[in-house]
Amino acid sequence: MERAFEGCTALHTVYLSGSIEKIGLFAFRNCKKLKNVYYSADLEARKKITVSSRENSELLTCYWHYNFKRFRDIASNSPFEAAINWARENGITGGINKEGTLFGPDEYCTRGQIVTFLWRAAGSPSPDWESTGFTDVSSTSPFKGAIIWAVRKQITNGMTDTLFGVNEPCTRGQAVTFLYRYAGEPGIGSIYHFDDVDQYAFYSLAVNWAATHGITSGTSATTFSPDAPCTRAQIVTFLYRFNQVKDRWGM
C-alpha cells in the first residue's frame, strides 16, 4: 500500500483487510475528507500495522470500525453505503443470510420490519403491554415488542381494528409517516416538494417534512413515489439521515 489512495481527495471511507501489515508513506496523502476506516480485524491487530505517519495523518485520526465484515451486495460507492454500515453497527438490522454477507438493499420491507427498525433506532424500549391486540401478531412474533411500542407512541395503528398487516409491504409514504410521528409531528409550514404528493394525502406533511430536513430527496427531482414499496436500503437511509438531525426536535 505504498500509494494506494494518494490524491483521492473525495475519499471519505476505506475498507482495510486484517491481513495488512504495512501502510506506505504516501498511501493516504491528500485524503483530507477521510472519516471512517472499516477494518476486518481487531484493535490488537491494528497496533501491529506499520504506518508511516508523515503523510497519513487523516488515516491515524479518523474513526476506525473494528471486526467489520462487508456486505457483498453493497458497492463501496453506493449512495446507501454509510447508512447501511451505520444500521449494522447500531443493531438496527443486519444481513439477510445466515453468514451475514448479503444485505438485500433492494428487497421490500414489510410493516413489521420497518416498525422494528425504528424501534431499534429508538433504543428498543421495553413494551408495557402484554399483547398487541392484533390477530396477525402472535405472542412469539419477533415484531411484537416493536408493534406495541409503535401503537403506544401513536406512530402507527393497524390496517383494521384487528389486523396490523405485519407482513404487508410498507410503502415509502407509510415509512416516512412513521418517522414523522416518532419525531412528534413537527410543523413545517406549507412547503411542497414533489408533484406526486397530494397535499391532502395522509403522508403529505410527513414527506414534505422529511424533504425539508434532508431525510429524503425523493426518487427524482419532482417525485417521491409515495405508493412504491420501501426497500431495506431506503428505510435505513431515512433513519440514518434522521439520526443526524434529530436534535432539532430535542431527541
Side-chain angles (χ1 to χ4, degrees):
M1 292 191 65
E2 190 62 35
R3 295 177 178 268
F5 299 99
E6 182 181 11
C8 294
T9 56
L11 183 71
H12 57 82
T13 299
V14 69
Y15 298 87
L16 297 181
S17 168
S19 63
I20 289 176
E21 297 179 352
K22 181 180 179 180
I23 295 176
L25 179 63
F26 302 112
F28 290 91
R29 184 165 67 172
N30 293 327
C31 296
K32 302 298 184 183
K33 294 185 178 181
L34 184 63
K35 299 296 182 183
N36 293 282
V37 175
Y38 290 92
Y39 182 52
S40 65
D42 58 19
L43 176 60
E44 293 305 311
R46 177 196 168 180
K47 291 178 179 178
K48 297 176 183 177
I49 301 175
T50 302
V51 182
S52 299
S53 61
R54 178 180 167 189
E55 298 288 348
N56 291 310
S57 59
E58 282 75 18
L59 178 70
L60 297 175
T61 57
C62 67
Y63 189 79
W64 284 62
H65 307 256
Y66 297 104
N67 299 309
F68 185 80
K69 294 181 180 178
R70 290 191 69 178
F71 291 117
R72 295 203 311 265
D73 54 352
I74 304 299
S76 59
N77 61 348
S78 167
F80 305 116
E81 178 190 29
I84 290 170
N85 289 342
W86 168 83
R88 178 160 68 174
E89 284 197 293
N90 286 277
I92 293 166
T93 183
I96 59 172
N97 61 340
K98 184 172 65 176
E99 296 77 17
T101 57
L102 297 174
F103 182 77
D106 299 322
E107 291 199 6
Y108 297 154
C109 278
T110 65
R111 285 168 50 85
Q113 290 170 335
I114 285 187
V115 165
T116 300
F117 294 167
L118 180 56
W119 174 65
R120 290 172 180 165
S124 304
S126 298
D128 54 2
W129 284 355
E130 290 296 322
S131 171
T132 64
F134 299 114
T135 58
D136 60 343
V137 183
S138 71
S139 60
T140 58
S141 170
F143 308 119
K144 174 186 170 184
I147 291 171
I148 291 174
W149 168 80
V151 171
R152 291 282 280 166
K153 293 279 288 183
Q154 298 184 326
I155 292 168
T156 183
N157 46 27
M159 297 183 72
T160 71
D161 289 341
T162 58
L163 293 175
F164 181 76
V166 64
N167 294 318
E168 292 294 318
C170 188
T171 67
R172 286 169 52 85
Q174 290 172 341
V176 170
T177 300
F178 295 166
L179 196 54
Y180 175 62
R181 291 172 180 166
Y182 172 57
E185 300 187 49
I188 62 162
S190 57
I191 301 171
Y192 294 95
H193 295 266
F194 303 111
D195 295 342
D196 61 348
V197 176
D198 187 289
Q199 63 176 313
Y200 299 109
F202 74 87
Y203 48 73
S204 175
L205 290 177
V207 171
N208 286 293
W209 162 81
T212 297
H213 293 283
I215 295 167
T216 181
S217 55
T219 51
S220 77
T222 59
T223 59
F224 178 73
S225 305
D227 298 322
C230 192
T231 67
R232 285 170 53 82
Q234 289 169 350
I235 185 57
V236 298
T237 300
F238 293 163
L239 289 169
Y240 173 65
R241 292 172 179 168
F242 171 76
N243 186 68
Q244 294 177 315
V245 297
K246 65 182 181 181
D247 59 334
R248 296 175 184 176
W249 305 286
M251 305 180 76

